[in-house]
Amino acid sequence: MKTIDELLAEGVAGKRVFVRADLNVPLDGTRITDDGRIRAVVPTIAKLAEAGARVVVASHLGRPKGAPDPAFSLAPAAARLGELLGADVAFATDTVGDSARAAVAGLADGQVAVIENLRFNAGETSKDDAERGALADQLAELADSYVGDGFGAVHRKHASVFDLPARLPHYAGYLIATEVGVLKKLTTDVKRPYAVVLGGAKVSDKLGVIDHLLERADRILIGGGMAYTFLKAQGHEVGSSLLQEDQIPAVEEYLRRAEEKGVEFVLPVDVVVAPAFPDLKTKAPAHPTTVAADAMPAGQMGLDNGPETNKLYASKLADAATVFWNGPMGVFEHPDFADGTRAVAQALVDSPAFSVVGGGDSAAAVRILGFDENAFGHISTGGGASLEYLEGKTLPGLAALED
């Protein structure tokens, strides 16, 4: 695929460059709680602006129903982008309407505009090729060239990700180039031992990547809500913990295959439990206790790895040469259940391994828990995209950038 440097070499002064970014940041009302995805695209936007381009930035945010919804406006993200760029950023209150056209027409060389949430238009996420194509046609009228830099969306066959690049000269931005380069280190010529840490709520979200990694990883460490389905598959009671009964046969098969292939599966040996899911708004004490993973009492919910598990996981990561981590170990947003996630992050900081934090909640946890991002090999902006890449899937947004 062509890169932004090739576009810059061709000259962009006075040209309209459409940047498909990923400004899908978490919001508390209108307050951004983690601006990592915005900061990640700043180098691409800043470089284009410095070269005199008229930069049109577009993104989705959340899951609106194909119509405007103030709760999902990109206005806070546009304001934060302006702060990070140190320049005024125009904001269009629609995607392809009068406001968007006026905002783009009003740009001078080196200026930036953000158009409103692409998912306010039903054509963005439509499964109908013609409907997506119609929106892509309208977006193409706003620009002379296209730069794909929203890695967190490249696994989506959406109008701005898949259809629009076909209508304009297209290039990969700095973020996408970096993300793909890092993920290649996890799929080709991997330095071993290769350890994978998987967490999060549902084992069903990780089935594909587990299946793929059984052929590649040396050890797989499991935590988070998905761990309880694994523990149940081993015959242990899990109280009122999150459990996907229908996934137990698949989990049993993965455990069997892992043993057959010599892949070490590491599960919690103790867990932190509480009578109910904690209140994440008030952070009120949740009355946690620690129990052995094979002795969880009825009426108690597993919400984090216990201290012995934290020590075990740290030891399993200490000698790794490559580590991929996706998914928190517990309800890290509450102080009573953050130790497991913190322990994994600290183990990666202490390890000499090339470590990749696979986006989503894992990336948010690293920042929320106060870790220096530079202490990790790479923090991805795309959780789902990273997982699908590691599964070996073709990602529509990357395929669209290929020549």
Side-chain angles (χ1 to χ4, degrees), residues 60 63 119 152-159 161-162 388 395-397:
H60 71 284
R63 297 180 182 273
R119 291 187 182 176
V154 294
H155 59 314
R156 306 297 188 190
K157 192 177 182 180
H158 291 170
V161 177
F162 179 76
E388 291 197 15
L395 306 187

Side-chain angles (χ1 to χ4, degrees), residues 9 37 83 85 105 122 134 140 143 157 182 194 196 203 209 225 242 247 261 353 360 363 369:
R37 283 176 168 166
E83 293 172 356
L85 290 170
K157 192 177 182 180
V182 166
Y194 177 19
V196 176
V203 68
V209 75
L242 182 64
Q247 300 300 326
K261 293 178 177 297
L369 296 176

Side-chain angles (χ1 to χ4, degrees), residues 257-273:
R257 283 176 54 198
E259 184 175 2
E260 182 181 272
K261 293 178 177 297
V263 177
E264 187 179 7
F265 243 106
V266 188
L267 299 175
V269 294
D270 61 347
V271 295
V272 180
V273 301

Side-chain angles (χ1 to χ4, degrees), residues 21 92 102 259 307 326 349 385 391:
E259 184 175 2
N326 180 278
V349 170
E391 286 179 44

